[in-house]
Amino acid sequence: MAETHTQSTTTGIPQDTQAPQGTLTPQDTQNATSDQRHQVGQPHSHGSGDNAVPHQRFFTPAVVTLIALSFMLGLSEFIMVGILPQIARGLSISEVTVGNLVSLFAVAYAPATPIGSALSARFPRFATHMTLVAVFLVGNILCMGAPNYPILLIARMMIALVAGTTVAVSMTYAPDVSSAANRTRFIAWVFSGFSIASVVGVPVGTWVAGTFGWRAAFALIVVLTVALMLAMVLVLPRNSHPMTIGFLPQFRLFADRRIRLGVLAVLFGAAASYVFYTYLTPIMRDEIGIPQRFVSLGLMVFGAACLCSNLYSGRLANRGTGVAPLARIRPIYLMQAVLLCLLAFAKLLPVAGALLLIVLGLFMYLQNSASQVLYMDVAAQAHPGSMNLAASLNSMSFNIGIALGSAVGGVVNDEFGLTWLGPFGAVFALLAALTVSGLHPTRAELGA
């Protein structure tokens, strides 16, 4: 695909603030840069030379397809939580060893996401997106046929290396498939694809694994991914907005204190939840006393709470711009810390413990949209050449938190037992609250 770029010698704009693809006049370049600063502005045209027309309907085929892609990524990532015991028995290894796959997945995911996103900014978007999903497909095929733990580990690492960049590229479609008014709604729904995977996909996958074997769960993912790739070919726009900024200069984004605090807040917030979430099935079974045949139902209820959490996060993100939405999450982190401490008493009052798990699910993703707004607004304002990288930071930060929380959860489970997972998670929630205390929104960001 032939691509042209606006040159800095023509526009007078520094190299790292180049506008998207196309030969533009100086006024056009100014307008394009303004759109980047608002991240999700008026949609770009889906074909060359066409005028952009705002989308009045939110759930267009393209938006639904991008949500479905998040669903598939979430299903592949979270399915381990539901089928952990079956894999352990099938490969004759311990549940803790299988649980480590969650941590290792996140360890690979975290560095690969910003690197892949920075690289993807320089290539045609649609072709890059399809390539990433193809690698995801191959990884799940390997999971389906893995004869031993090392092969399963390699397959999971393949998936981890492309998953975060795939989400980041999905975010860049926002101005092409939705209107400026739907910015936080689009962000919330793309992230909610992961929660929908928890609500529907993980319980169904757990049932499939229990009925037909754990390999059948990955076979289901493979079939659905092939169908999704066909949908992507049919409905996603082919236009592309490559950046002319170099690879390394994009990482100047991390020099911004607001970005660093946002990354740490999401990291600690994710770790707080994943200390216990990694072992959610054993907690339901051994602490709450839910019979094995009802664990799938329990996972579905927990997933429904997570979906509500993700969707409500979009409303929280509407409370201002820049750092303001995430700064206002501080009381939520403090409440989460209290609830996690109470999880230690779940075995004493199983009914109350079950309700507590649902409430913790409601808290699990409340930070997501607010943090994404911080990354995108700060990047658009001060580092417009790093927009693709900024789009990846939520996934990167969250998965570092997953790795940290899962690793700590494994140690706590081995040394102290399931009962102490909640209190250790509370420590991370307090660290998240402390971190966002360092964010100081301006009056304009607060909407004052």
Side-chain angles (χ1 to χ4, degrees):
M1 179 184 298
E3 295 176 358
T4 57
H5 306 279
T6 306
Q7 300 298 321
S8 58
T9 55
T10 303
T11 64
I13 297 175
Q15 184 80 0
D16 67 344
T17 61
Q18 290 305 294
Q21 170 186 5
T23 303
L24 307 176
T25 65
Q27 182 61 41
D28 290 332
T29 302
Q30 182 180 355
N31 292 340
T33 305
S34 177
D35 283 347
Q36 285 182 334
R37 286 173 181 161
H38 290 85
Q39 175 55 20
V40 183
Q42 295 299 320
H44 297 283
S45 59
H46 290 192
S48 59
D50 295 335
N51 293 327
V53 178
H55 294 275
Q56 298 301 321
R57 183 163 60 97
F58 178 72
F59 289 108
T60 61
V63 170
V64 171
T65 298
L66 292 170
I67 295 170
L69 178 55
S70 293
F71 170 84
M72 291 309 306
L73 294 168
L75 177 58
S76 180
E77 181 173 357
F78 301 148
I79 193 69
M80 301 300 293
V81 175
I83 64 176
L84 187 150
Q86 290 94 326
I87 294 177
R89 289 195 300 269
L91 297 180
S92 301
I93 54 180
S94 70
E95 289 189 2
V96 171
T97 300
V98 179
N100 287 338
L101 283 175
V102 177
S103 300
L104 293 172
F105 184 99
V107 167
Y109 188 117
T113 297
I115 293 172
S117 299
L119 287 171
S120 71
R122 300 182 61 82
F123 295 98
R125 178 176 61 185
F126 180 77
T128 301
H129 215 189
M130 291 299 295
T131 301
L132 292 168
V133 178
V135 174
F136 171 79
L137 174 63
V138 172
N140 280 291
I141 292 172
L142 285 177
C143 286
M144 179 178 64
N148 51 47
Y149 181 77
I151 298 299
L152 181 61
L153 173 61
I154 291 171
R156 295 297 292 172
M157 294 304 98
M158 283 184 62
I159 297 168
L161 290 174
V162 299
T165 302
T166 305
V167 177
V169 174
S170 291
M171 287 291 179
T172 67
Y173 283 97
D176 302 288
V177 300
S178 65
S179 65
N182 283 321
R183 174 172 82 148
T184 57
R185 190 180 183 192
F186 178 83
I187 291 171
W189 270 103
V190 170
F191 282 134
S192 292
F194 290 86
S195 296
I196 296 170
S198 296
V199 176
V200 180
V202 172
V204 170
T206 302
W207 176 83
V208 169
T211 305
F212 303 103
W214 63 270
R215 297 181 192 279
F218 287 108
L220 176 64
I221 293 174
V222 168
V223 171
L224 293 176
T225 301
V226 171
L228 177 62
M229 292 179 76
L230 292 175
M232 292 173 66
V233 170
L234 291 174
V235 304
L236 290 186
R238 300 296 199 274
N239 58 330
S240 190
H241 315 299
M243 291 293 181
T244 57
I245 184 174
F247 174 73
L248 291 178
Q250 294 182 61
F251 289 86
R252 294 171 186 161
L253 181 68
F254 289 102
D256 196 302
R257 177 178 176 274
R258 297 166 295 177
I259 293 291
R260 294 197 303 272
L261 288 176
V263 167
L264 286 174
V266 173
L267 187 159
F268 290 137
S273 292
Y274 271 80
V275 168
F276 81 90
Y277 180 66
T278 305
Y279 297 94
L280 184 59
T281 295
I283 288 173
M284 288 183 173
R285 183 188 63 205
D286 302 333
E287 293 289 296
I288 307 298
I290 297 175
Q292 183 64 44
R293 65 183 181 276
F294 293 127
V295 167
S296 293
L297 178 60
L299 291 172
M300 185 174 294
V301 173
F302 185 87
C306 291
L307 174 59
C308 293
S309 177
N310 241 325
L311 293 178
Y312 191 70
S313 76
R315 298 187 64 178
L316 293 177
N318 270 328
R319 301 189 303 170
T321 59
V323 305
L326 189 59
R328 286 169 162 162
I329 300 292
R330 181 171 175 268
I332 291 173
Y333 286 134
L334 294 174
M335 292 173 62
Q336 185 183 27
V338 173
L339 293 171
L340 285 166
C341 288
L342 293 176
L343 190 59
F345 303 98
K347 199 167 188 176
L348 300 177
L349 297 168
V351 174
L355 293 174
L356 178 58
L357 282 180
I358 295 172
V359 176
L360 285 170
L362 292 171
F363 275 74
M364 196 162 176
Y365 297 114
L366 291 178
Q367 65 184 358
N368 275 2
S369 296
S371 56
Q372 189 73 12
V373 166
L374 183 152
Y375 301 139
M376 303 310 295
D377 282 359
V378 170
Q381 175 194 32
H383 314 276
S386 302
M387 294 298 287
N388 267 44
L389 178 59
S392 74
L393 295 185
N394 211 61
S395 296
M396 180 202 75
S397 309
F398 204 90
N399 276 272
I400 295 174
I402 290 174
L404 178 60
S406 298
V408 170
V411 173
V412 172
N413 188 23
D414 277 347
E415 298 296 328
F416 306 106
L418 295 170
T419 301
W420 288 94
L421 292 175
F424 274 85
V427 174
F428 289 116
L430 291 174
L431 288 173
L434 181 63
T435 300
V436 297
S437 297
L439 294 172
H440 304 295
T442 64
R443 288 180 60 85
E445 289 176 329
L446 290 170

